Amino acid sequence: MNHWIIAPVVLPALLAPFMMLTMRRDLMLQRVFGLAGTLALLGIAAGLLVSATGTPADVYFLGNWPAPFGIVLVLDRLSALMLGLTAVLALAVQLYAISTDWDTRGRHFHVLLLFQLMGLNGAFLTGDAFNLFVFFEVLLIASYGLMIHGGGRDRLRAGVQYIAFNLVGSTLFLFALATVYSVTGTLNFADLAVKVANLPEGDAALIRVAGVLLLLVFAIKGALVPLHFWLPNTYAFAPGPVAALFAVMTKVGAYATIRIYTLVFPTGTPATGTLFAEILQPAALITLGVGVLGVLGAQTLGRLVAFAAIASMGTLFIAIAAFTPQALAAGLYYLIHSTLAGGALFLICDMVSDRRADDRLTRALPPIPQHGLIGALFLAGAIAAAGMPPLSGFLGKLLILDATRGPGMALVWSVILATSLISIVGFARAGSTLFWKAHESAPQARPVHKAEPLSFAAVFGLLAALLALTVFAGPVTGWLEVTAAGLFDPAAYIDANTLPTGGTP
Amino acid sequence: MELLVASAIGLMTAAGIYLILRLRTFSVILGLAMLSYAVNVFIFASGRVTVGKPPILSAAASGYTDPLTQALVLTAIVISFGMTAVIVMMALGSYLNTGSDRIDMDDEGETR
């Protein structure tokens, strides 16, 4: 039993209250400890990534209780990947927030960030459906705090909507879990996989209902149409670095969908069959369409990037809905790409709207400080988000197109290709208003703006990660193919959940 | 007994959904509270409805009721209380900041 598995949950859970109790007045100490915590999480995630590559699945039995009775944390390649991704994004967000003084506009930014990381890490690691709910709530309650960080009336109004929507989602989640429990009598993923596969005929209808309810919950998290309404306002009004961190929060929905629907309800299950793929695919296609139309029609920069995030979730869910190892490997590649690209784009967008003091796209304003550099960054972010060569978004989309060959390919291909074109147009329109037409408008005295080298470092770091993902696409996809193959052959995952002999308490 | 529990869950869910579809934050919060009551009873009932049986080991017991759903419902209650407190504070803050208790983002009709 590898004790490091629980570290990504325990470390922020201990550090955050410690920071809140002992250094609530001292921002400098909070910054130092917050950064140290995130760096430590990055180190632990890297270590877990290495250890998960070697073994098929590693299980941490809390209190050494055997699996269906006790709570377990499971580390496999997928959860290790998500931990690493979260830590990288969190580090960039934290550097950016420190550099731009976002963390001084309200209290406890770093504490809330750590609690959010605890919830995210727990959700990625847990091997138990009810614990998934609990960690969802932990990450949500931290995200409520982060969402309204800095205050202001628009942010508060958007925050109330966001909370109300998510509370309905949580209620739905509990209904789904109770239905699953009433049918199978267990909530452990591995145990569920065994029980659902051998379900008596009469319970099939009830488990189908539970499966669809769960899918709805994950669709709310992943902002799938028609459950995406919370996202544009939330992301547009959330503080810039927080919106960037939320780029990984939508991926929790994708992660949970991948986990549950490959492990518990694989397409070969007699009770459910391909039901979930049939629901998911049209929803994903429409999500992609709605996302790019939003990009095209957005009146403010914040909404533009928010709709780009919806579009990226659509693309990701298209790959997931195919439910083949090849498509899932492509989808995971796109998941890494879209998290990093989304985070970078939100940070760049915050740089622009902070300097412009107006994020409306309807009129051009005089050039902003550091005009050329930020313009170039926006170009890079837009290329990444739209999926143009040479960055990894292009490779990700190419892999997804390649993996969705077969019946129904005409529809999927035409939607992905047409939406790519539309989103390029949308980004080009925004870019020309922000950076080209700026030179035509009346020149004003340039306001002085502090240089913020750290925030540029954060954005360049994310873009460099994208570049690395592009350059090392070969080894990365090779690693992801093994990951996807492991997800479609869950025997190792299920076996890992039995307590090793001699491990009785 | 089953009919009573089932219809109670159904009624509370229906009332909750009706209330969260309203425009004012107060009724939305009431609706969310109603929904969380419904789901708590539902979780409790998912361990089968049994009367007069203990959930913990007892020498005198003739049978047991499912203890796990009681643990689950306890967690769910705690979480939903916390979340309700958060949304009440948020709604209050939003009302004091904007002078409106509408939950939608429509800027028209803001002045009451």
Side-chain angles (χ1 to χ4, degrees):
Chain A
M1 197 155 73
N2 181 355
H3 284 280
W4 284 103
I5 295 176
I6 201 169
V9 182
V10 168
L11 177 73
L14 293 179
L15 187 57
F18 174 72
M19 279 169 66
M20 192 156 115
L21 292 173
T22 58
M23 47 190 95
R24 54 192 312 163
R25 304 255 172 259
D26 192 342
L27 188 70
M28 209 57 219
L29 267 181
Q30 279 192 27
R31 286 178 169 179
V32 170
F33 272 78
L35 263 184
T38 320
L39 278 173
L41 281 178
L42 188 62
I44 293 168
L48 290 180
L49 204 58
V50 172
S51 98
T53 308
T55 52
D58 207 353
V59 181
Y60 186 83
F61 300 92
L62 276 96
N64 223 8
W65 282 86
F69 310 108
I71 293 167
V72 291
L73 299 179
V74 186
L75 176 80
D76 67 346
R77 281 169 167 241
L78 179 61
S79 41
L81 169 72
M82 299 304 293
L83 289 182
L85 202 54
T86 311
V88 169
L89 191 66
L91 187 63
V93 163
Q94 202 165 29
L95 284 176
Y96 185 89
I98 290 174
S99 160
T100 52
D101 288 337
W102 258 111
D103 55 351
T104 58
R105 299 190 201 181
R107 293 228 230 131
H108 304 311
F109 179 87
H110 296 285
V111 173
L112 287 170
L113 184 81
L114 280 175
F115 274 126
Q116 169 107 57
L117 290 181
M118 171 197 166
L120 284 166
N121 290 344
F124 293 141
L125 280 173
T126 182
D128 177 284
F130 195 79
N131 251 37
L132 187 65
F133 164 75
V134 174
F135 280 119
F136 264 38
E137 296 305 302
V138 172
L139 77 90
L140 281 175
I141 203 158
S143 81
Y144 301 155
L146 285 172
M147 158 76 207
I148 57 161
H149 182 83
R153 42 167 288 186
D154 285 342
R155 198 165 290 149
L156 276 170
R157 292 186 70 185
V160 173
Q161 255 191 358
Y162 171 60
I163 298 183
F165 208 106
N166 273 302
L167 285 185
V168 177
S170 306
T171 313
L172 210 57
F173 202 170
L174 283 175
F175 272 120
L177 290 181
T179 315
V180 169
Y181 182 77
S182 71
V183 178
T184 59
T186 179
L187 286 171
N188 178 283
F189 287 159
D191 204 22
L192 272 177
V194 177
K195 292 240 168 82
V196 170
N198 307 316
L199 213 60
E201 190 78 14
D203 287 338
L206 213 50
I207 201 73
R208 275 202 288 271
V209 171
V212 172
L213 278 176
L214 273 180
L215 196 61
L216 284 177
V217 177
F218 301 147
I220 291 178
K221 292 282 167 301
L224 266 186
V225 171
L227 300 164
H228 66 289
F229 293 108
W230 62 272
L231 194 142
N233 278 330
T234 307
Y235 280 42
F237 290 115
V242 173
L245 184 67
F246 283 6
V248 77
M249 235 173 64
T250 44
K251 305 300 183 296
V252 178
Y255 165 83
T257 312
I258 295 173
R259 177 66 79 211
I260 301 267
Y261 294 95
T262 56
L263 181 63
V264 181
F265 303 110
T267 41
T269 310
T272 52
T274 57
L275 173 71
F276 304 115
E278 283 159 21
I279 298 174
L280 208 50
Q281 203 194 29
L285 289 171
I286 298 170
T287 307
L288 181 52
V290 168
V292 293
L293 287 182
V295 168
L296 197 60
Q299 300 281 318
T300 66
L301 189 55
R303 290 182 76 85
L304 177 105
V305 185
F307 275 106
I310 294 184
S312 77
M313 290 312 290
T315 315
L316 177 53
F317 271 105
I318 288 175
I320 294 173
F323 284 115
T324 58
Q326 196 199 355
L328 193 60
L332 289 176
Y333 184 84
Y334 192 78
L335 187 151
I336 305 175
H337 158 79
S338 67
T339 310
L340 297 172
L345 203 56
F346 274 112
L347 294 184
I348 297 165
C349 148
D350 184 64
M351 282 180 169
V352 175
S353 38
D354 191 39
R355 285 170 175 73
R356 259 181 129 221
D358 177 6
D359 78 337
R360 274 177 297 169
L361 292 171
T362 41
R363 65 198 176 101
L365 288 170
I368 52 177
Q370 295 139 337
H371 190 83
L373 182 56
I374 295 179
L377 286 177
F378 184 82
L379 179 70
I383 286 176
M388 293 245 288
L391 287 178
S392 49
F394 174 69
L395 291 177
K397 282 196 178 174
L398 210 60
L399 287 170
I400 292 175
L401 288 179
D402 190 37
T404 47
R405 275 177 214 274
M409 112 185 204
L411 179 67
V412 174
W413 278 46
S414 48
V415 168
I416 293 184
L417 293 175
T419 52
S420 298
L421 181 66
I422 300 175
S423 75
I424 292 168
V425 175
F427 274 108
R429 184 188 62 102
S432 70
T433 312
L434 290 174
F435 299 106
W436 280 353
K437 287 187 188 156
H439 293 294
E440 292 164 14
S441 53
Q444 288 177 349
R446 280 194 175 190
V448 186
H449 202 279
K450 77 177 185 140
E452 299 174 354
L454 265 184
S455 60
F456 282 100
V459 175
F460 274 117
L462 286 178
L463 290 177
L466 278 182
L467 202 62
L469 187 64
T470 318
V471 174
F472 298 105
V476 171
T477 43
W479 193 86
L480 290 174
E481 271 159 16
V482 181
T483 309
L487 286 169
F488 279 93
D489 181 23
Y493 187 101
I494 297 168
D495 286 344
N497 271 275
T498 47
L499 200 65
T501 46
T504 43
Chain B
M1 179 75 182
E2 281 82 359
L3 181 71
L4 207 60
V5 172
S7 53
I9 296 171
L11 272 177
M12 280 194 285
T13 313
I17 289 174
Y18 173 75
L19 284 170
I20 58 170
L21 293 177
R22 317 243 11 162
L23 275 178
R24 306 273 175 206
T25 44
F26 184 64
S27 44
V28 171
I29 292 170
L30 281 188
L32 287 169
M34 200 61 94
L35 272 182
S36 73
Y37 295 147
V39 80
N40 289 341
V41 180
F42 185 68
I43 297 175
F44 204 75
S46 71
R48 308 291 181 270
V49 180
T50 36
V51 182
K53 299 272 169 62
I56 48 170
L57 285 177
S58 150
S62 57
Y64 294 99
T65 181
D66 192 339
L68 189 75
T69 50
Q70 314 212 353
L72 295 184
V73 87
L74 184 63
T75 317
I77 288 171
V78 171
I79 289 176
S80 71
F81 267 4
M83 292 295 172
T84 310
V86 170
I87 195 171
V88 166
M89 290 311 294
M90 280 284 302
L92 197 63
S94 167
Y95 174 67
L96 295 176
N97 255 282
T98 62
S100 152
D101 65 346
R102 285 171 68 102
I103 194 150
D104 56 339
M105 293 292 287
D106 192 5
D107 276 338
E108 290 160 46
E110 208 167 80
T111 46
R112 299 186 308 141

